[in-house]
Amino acid sequence: MTARIEWLVLANAMLGNFLAGVSTRTFLIGLPSVADGLATDILGVSWAIISFQLASISLSIVFGRLGDIYGRHQIYGLGFLTITASAALCGIAQNVYQLIAFRFLQGVGSAMTQSAGRALAIEAMPEGSVGRAQGLMTMAFHSGFFVGPPLGGFIIDHLNWRWIFFLIVPIGVAGIILTS
């Protein structure tokens, strides 16, 4: 008998990791444009990077534990909702302080999806496939990490820096729909 893979859960978990990779790298490419758009310098905008990373890294364990207590699907869905809403807020930020705060919030959502997503991917795979599940999740993240710079460059060249964030919204909505 063949073990069953829950493809929808796995694809959704991978989408969350892909989104985390894309949102990290597209923003890095747009730093000079964001700084000009918000009338600040690179140092000011770099705090938006730091706030995202600080939230994402430091809260992953917290949300992993909360997922164990309250359910991974709930944490994961709330994470997608947080990433999506905060991306829209980043896109309409009027100053660097708002951008830093909204990127922190986006990092909180990223911590939720990263920690719960890996656990959901493991649950979606047959027993004994933990390594394969982790490999798929890592591949999804690094695919987003790889796609982010050219995508960010394209957006900066043809649209406005705000679209770096607005691009995340439809992907986030798709993740919210898949989670529900």
Side-chain angles (χ1 to χ4, degrees):
M1 182 174 175
T2 308
R4 186 171 186 273
I5 299 174
E6 294 179 35
W7 289 106
L8 190 59
V9 173
L10 183 61
N12 192 22
M14 290 175 69
L15 179 65
N17 264 20
F18 177 79
L19 185 62
V22 166
S23 65
T24 299
R25 296 290 287 223
T26 55
F27 181 66
L28 288 174
I29 294 298
L31 284 179
S33 298
V34 174
D36 287 345
L38 293 177
T40 188
D41 57 3
I42 294 293
L43 183 60
V45 176
S46 69
W47 279 101
I49 296 170
I50 294 168
S51 69
F52 177 90
Q53 294 296 330
L54 182 67
S56 182
I57 293 167
S58 65
L59 295 175
S60 288
I61 293 173
V62 173
F63 286 118
R65 180 65 181 139
L66 289 174
D68 292 341
I69 296 169
Y70 298 108
R72 292 176 185 97
H73 283 93
Q74 287 79 8
I75 297 296
Y76 191 74
L78 185 59
F80 253 123
L81 183 64
T82 304
I83 287 173
T84 306
S86 61
L89 291 171
C90 285
I92 61 171
Q94 297 302 304
N95 59 52
V96 73
Y97 302 109
Q98 289 178 351
L99 183 65
I100 292 167
F102 297 148
R103 282 291 286 178
F104 182 85
L105 188 59
Q106 196 174 29
V108 171
S110 177
M112 292 174 167
T113 58
Q114 294 275 327
S115 61
R118 287 197 177 267
L120 289 172
I122 292 169
E123 290 175 0
M125 298 292 286
E127 195 169 320
S129 298
V130 173
R132 185 174 171 202
Q134 293 299 328
L136 289 169
M137 294 301 286
T138 301
M139 180 196 67
F141 178 79
H142 287 289
S143 294
F145 217 64
F146 179 71
V147 168
L151 183 61
F154 180 82
I155 291 169
I156 295 299
D157 286 346
H158 298 289
L159 298 169
N160 183 305
W161 67 266
R162 294 180 184 277
W163 283 95
I164 290 172
F165 301 108
F166 294 146
L167 167 78
I168 295 169
V169 174
I171 300 170
V173 170
I176 292 167
I177 292 168
L178 282 172
T179 303
S180 63

